[in-house]
């Protein structure tokens, strides 16, 4: 997401209009995870505006519509997919990953449908697959079959790290809601293709996330040194301070990698530099 009213003071600035938020977001961050396409396909005029609001090196990751992934479960959806990709075509060169988020009941028996679907996608497309069925986290034959399928089709397995949010006490409506809706699955940090993607569901207390980020401070540099380009997206229960947490973790990654692989300096907006909410450490 990029349009969140709570970020008006910390990320956008008081003079930023709603329609300018994506451009302002792109001045600080290099990628965004778009969930709106899961629920409805935007107008092509809107897609063109998104293109024009972002620099050439900015990358979007959009979910495929739920009609494809959940209602049809990747079957009998050729026209749905074609129509969606036509609307999104103005952004094609700015797509980092097309996200295929599958429901929890999409299990091992459905792997042939996943394989057939992946083979239909244009070879130039980079995609990530998020699974939630327990069998795909049991380290058995079913998970091995999934990982092999993804490797063979050059598809990235999306990694969910929800440990931080489930470590938070359910003392607020946002945390209670997150506990009810977010998947509580093991973290299997495997790169099945060149763009491993992590969805980090953070603890509402920023410093409490540091222990959970420790493993990523090792894994991310290793992937980068091996020539991979990972994507890391930060969420919090209400997302009010997600930008602050993203900056905090990025600063730690820069410190961790100093002397091995240099990362670009993070681009904080002027109002954030003077805002105590963006205190890094």
């Amino acid at each position: 997401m990029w349009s969140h009213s709570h970020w008006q003071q910390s990320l956008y600035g008081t003079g930023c209009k709603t329609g300018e938020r994506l451009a302002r977001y792109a001045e600080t961050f290099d990628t965004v995870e778009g969930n709106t396409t899961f629920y409805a396909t935007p107008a092509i005029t809107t897609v063109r505006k998104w293109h024009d609001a972002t620099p050439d090196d900015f990358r979007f990751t959009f979910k495929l519509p739920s009609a494809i992934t959940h209602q049809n479960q990747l079957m009998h959806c050729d026209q749905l997919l074609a129509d969606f990709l036509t609307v999104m075509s103005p952004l094609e060169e700015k797509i980092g990953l097309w996200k295929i988020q599958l429901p929890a009941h999409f299990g091992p028996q459905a792997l042939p449908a996943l394989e057939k679907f992946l083979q239909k996608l244009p070879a130039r497309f980079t995609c990530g697959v998020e699974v939630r069925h327990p069998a795909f986290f049991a380290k058995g034959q079913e998970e091995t079959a999934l990982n092999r399928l993804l490797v063979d089709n050059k598809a990235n397995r999306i990694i969910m790290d929800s440990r931080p949010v489930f470590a938070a006490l359910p003392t607020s409506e946002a945390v209670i809601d997150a506990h009810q809706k977010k998947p509580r699955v093991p973290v299997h940090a495997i790169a099945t293709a060149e763009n491993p993607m992590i969805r980090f569901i953070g603890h509402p207390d920023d410093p409490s996330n540091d222990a959970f980020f420790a493993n990523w401070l090792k894994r991310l540099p290793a992937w980068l040194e091996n020539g991979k380009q990972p994507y890391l997206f930060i969420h919090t229960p209400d997302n009010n301070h997600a930008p602050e947490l993203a900056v905090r973790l990025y600063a730690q990654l820069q410190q961790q990698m100093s002397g091995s692989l240099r990362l670009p300096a993070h681009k904080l907006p002027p109002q954030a530099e003077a805002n105590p909410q963006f205190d890094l450490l």
Side-chain angles (χ1 to χ4, degrees), residues 156-170:
N156 300 277
R157 179 168 178 173
I158 296 175
I159 304 158
M160 176 72 70
D161 190 351
S162 58
R163 298 171 301 159
V165 72
F166 282 105
L169 295 176

Side-chain angles (χ1 to χ4, degrees), residues 43-82:
I44 195 167
T45 53
T46 300
V47 176
R48 292 193 181 106
K49 289 179 181 177
W50 293 345
H51 176 279
D52 295 342
T54 52
D56 291 343
D57 59 353
F58 190 84
R59 293 294 177 262
F60 294 87
T61 68
F62 284 112
K63 287 183 183 179
L64 296 190
S66 62
I68 294 173
T69 58
H70 285 56
Q71 296 171 26
N72 287 52
Q73 297 199 37
L74 307 183
M75 298 183 293
H76 314 299
C77 56
D78 290 2
Q79 191 60 52
L80 286 171
L81 179 64

Side-chain angles (χ1 to χ4, degrees), residues 5-246:
S5 296
H6 191 87
W7 301 349
Q8 192 70 34
Q9 299 298 323
S10 60
L11 185 61
Y12 304 130
T14 54
C16 182
K17 299 178 181 179
T18 301
E20 300 170 348
R21 286 177 175 176
L22 176 56
R24 190 66 59 84
Y25 175 100
E27 292 175 0
T28 300
F29 298 110
D30 300 315
T31 185
V32 71
E33 183 182 18
N35 292 330
T36 57
T37 50
F38 180 76
Y39 303 101
T41 300
I44 195 167
T45 53
T46 300
V47 176
R48 292 193 181 106
K49 289 179 181 177
W50 293 345
H51 176 279
D52 295 342
T54 52
D56 291 343
D57 59 353
F58 190 84
R59 293 294 177 262
F60 294 87
T61 68
F62 284 112
K63 287 183 183 179
L64 296 190
S66 62
I68 294 173
T69 58
H70 285 56
Q71 296 171 26
N72 287 52
Q73 297 199 37
L74 307 183
M75 298 183 293
H76 314 299
C77 56
D78 290 2
Q79 191 60 52
L80 286 171
L81 179 64
D83 292 345
F84 173 71
L85 294 179
T86 296
V87 171
M88 302 300 291
S89 61
L91 275 175
E92 183 174 329
E93 77 271 16
K94 292 186 178 182
I95 299 296
L97 288 172
W98 294 106
K99 292 177 56 186
I100 304 170
Q101 185 184 78
L102 299 170
H105 56 268
F106 191 99
Q109 78 287 347
L111 285 181
L114 174 59
E115 182 174 26
K116 186 176 180 180
F117 184 83
L118 291 174
Q119 292 175 351
K120 286 182 179 180
L121 291 176
R124 66 184 183 278
F125 282 12
T126 302
C127 67
V129 178
E130 181 180 316
V131 293
R132 299 189 177 188
H133 193 283
F136 295 137
F137 297 88
K139 297 185 178 181
Q141 294 181 353
E142 293 90 349
E143 183 172 7
T144 299
L146 168 68
N147 292 339
R148 173 49 55 189
L149 186 158
L150 297 177
V151 170
D152 290 346
N153 289 276
K154 299 180 180 179
N156 300 277
R157 179 168 178 173
I158 296 175
I159 304 158
M160 176 72 70
D161 190 351
S162 58
R163 298 171 301 159
V165 72
F166 282 105
L169 295 176
T171 55
S172 70
E173 290 185 10
V175 172
I176 292 171
D177 185 65
H179 284 187
Q180 293 173 346
K181 295 180 179 179
K182 300 299 182 183
R184 192 170 190 172
V185 294
V187 181
H188 289 188
I190 180 174
T192 57
E194 297 306 304
N195 300 103
M197 175 178 163
I198 304 141
R199 301 183 69 212
F200 187 94
I201 316 297
H203 193 289
D205 173 55
D206 280 3
S208 297
N209 291 283
D210 292 346
F212 297 103
F213 197 58
N215 288 337
W216 298 118
L217 292 176
K218 299 177 182 177
R219 182 76 60 171
L220 289 168
W223 281 338
L224 290 167
E225 289 170 359
N226 287 330
K228 299 186 184 301
Q229 176 57 71
Y231 286 79
L232 173 62
F233 293 103
I234 304 295
H235 307 257
T236 61
D238 56 13
N239 280 319
N240 284 351
H241 296 285
E244 289 91 330
L245 183 57

